[in-house]
């Protein structure tokens, strides 16, 4: 017998677009970074002096790589009741990524205070949404983690707000920066605690998302259903369970 996760939310409709969209985004993300990574390798191994152009290529690889990691964090909410957070993040990250690429390849045309402020705020929003997507994606359905999860979410939002206000107003004095440091430390602590408990903590058998056993005799049929539908094992099992419960 093997185990698969029990549905932690209502099963998706049969023709749900979540799985195909998620698959497309994953392949686009991996493909774009693969191309950028290849460019970086060619720049390093192409021979000749390491000049400005090679540095621009490597910086482009770094920007695309960081954007790709953020995209994967946003995808953690796909198919859940928090997927709007990931969707907004996937759009928001395009702003700082675009500005970073423009500054990399044509800094003279974009080297202004407004550009850097826009980049700073956009990066803050994108990173915060990536953090929230990851937290909500792995712990949003865990009842035992709510007392850790939601204070951490509040800290992350507060931290983003303070950073944004700091970028816009450039306050004097160290009170704001001390508060910023304290909130940042608590935010990191809460994030690490939530993720550690969500990933390594054991679920109760009756807790949403707890593992259930799939008999070995059903493995072949389940694998075929996953391949034919292009959906995840969890989605297929959830739909089958929903159909069985509704027929009772």
């Amino acid at each position: 017998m093997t185990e698969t996760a029990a549905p932690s939310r209502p099963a998706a409709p049969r023709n749900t677009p979540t799985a195909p969209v998620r698959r497309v985004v994953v392949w686009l993300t991996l493909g774009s970074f693969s191309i950028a990574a290849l460019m970086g390798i060619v720049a390093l191994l192409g021979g000749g002096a390491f000049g400005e152009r090679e540095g621009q290529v490597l910086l482009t690889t770094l920007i695309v790589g960081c954007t790709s990691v953020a995209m994967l964090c946003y995808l953690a909410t796909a198919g859940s009741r928090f997927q709007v957070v990931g969707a907004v993040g996937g759009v928001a990250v395009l702003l700082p990524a675009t500005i970073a690429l423009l500054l990399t390849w044509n800094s003279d045309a974009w080297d202004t205070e407004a550009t850097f402020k826009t980049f700073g705020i956009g990066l803050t929003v994108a990173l915060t949404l990536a953090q929230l997507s990851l937290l909500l994606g792995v712990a949003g359905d865990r009842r035992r983690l709510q007392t850790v999860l939601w204070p951490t979410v509040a800290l992350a939002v507060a931290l983003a707000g303070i950073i944004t206000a700091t970028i816009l107003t450039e306050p004097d004095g160290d009170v704001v920066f001390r508060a910023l440091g304290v909130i940042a430390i608590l935010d990191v602590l809460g994030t690490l605690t939530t993720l550690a408990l969500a990933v390594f903590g054991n679920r109760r058998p009756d807790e949403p998302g707890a593992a259930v056993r799939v008999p070995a005799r059903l493995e072949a049929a389940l694998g075929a259903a996953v391949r034919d539908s292009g959906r995840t094992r969890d989605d297929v099992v959830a739909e089958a369970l929903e159909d069985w419960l509704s027929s009772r």
Side-chain angles (χ1 to χ4, degrees):
M1 290 176 138
T2 60
E3 294 186 352
T4 188
S8 59
R9 51 186 181 273
R14 289 181 182 276
N15 296 321
T16 177
T18 299
V21 171
R22 180 171 50 197
R23 186 165 59 249
V24 169
V25 173
V26 168
W27 281 111
L28 285 176
T29 299
L30 294 178
S32 61
F33 181 65
S34 297
I35 294 173
L38 179 61
M39 292 170 55
I41 293 173
V42 170
L44 288 173
L45 301 180
F50 189 89
E52 180 181 1
R53 184 54 55 89
E54 288 75 15
Q56 289 173 322
V57 171
L58 289 179
L59 191 54
T60 297
T61 303
L62 177 62
I63 293 169
V64 175
C66 291
T67 304
S68 300
V69 172
M71 282 292 187
L72 295 180
C73 291
Y74 302 139
L75 284 175
T77 62
S80 74
R81 58 195 176 101
F82 304 108
Q83 63 184 359
V84 65
V85 178
V88 173
V91 175
V93 75
L94 298 178
L95 176 61
T98 301
I99 293 176
L101 290 173
L102 291 174
L103 289 172
T104 298
W105 291 96
N106 190 14
S107 59
D108 293 337
W110 300 94
D111 189 6
T112 65
E113 182 180 358
T115 298
F116 283 102
K117 285 189 174 183
T118 302
F119 172 75
I121 294 173
L123 182 62
T124 299
V125 172
L127 291 178
T128 301
L129 289 173
Q131 176 191 1
L132 296 182
S133 296
L134 190 59
L135 288 171
L136 295 173
V138 302
D141 66 327
R142 304 287 295 273
R143 287 194 297 266
R144 290 186 296 172
L145 300 182
Q146 302 305 297
T147 55
V148 180
L149 171 64
W150 292 110
T152 303
V153 169
L155 287 169
V157 173
L159 183 63
I162 294 175
I163 293 175
T164 300
T166 301
I167 293 173
L168 290 174
T169 62
E170 300 179 5
D172 295 327
D174 62 350
V175 176
V176 173
F177 296 102
R178 290 179 185 273
L180 190 67
V182 171
I183 294 176
I185 291 171
L186 293 176
D187 181 28
V188 172
L189 177 61
T191 299
L192 292 177
T193 301
T194 302
L195 294 178
L197 292 176
V199 174
F200 301 108
N202 294 325
R203 292 176 184 261
R204 296 194 306 268
D206 61 340
E207 185 177 5
V212 295
R213 294 185 178 277
V214 176
R217 66 179 184 277
L218 298 178
E219 273 299 318
L222 178 58
V226 170
R227 290 191 299 272
D228 293 341
S229 65
R231 301 168 64 187
T232 65
R233 287 171 58 92
D234 288 354
D235 286 342
V236 173
V237 171
E239 181 183 294
L241 180 59
E242 183 184 52
D243 289 344
W244 181 80
L245 291 174
S246 62
S247 66
R248 295 186 63 190

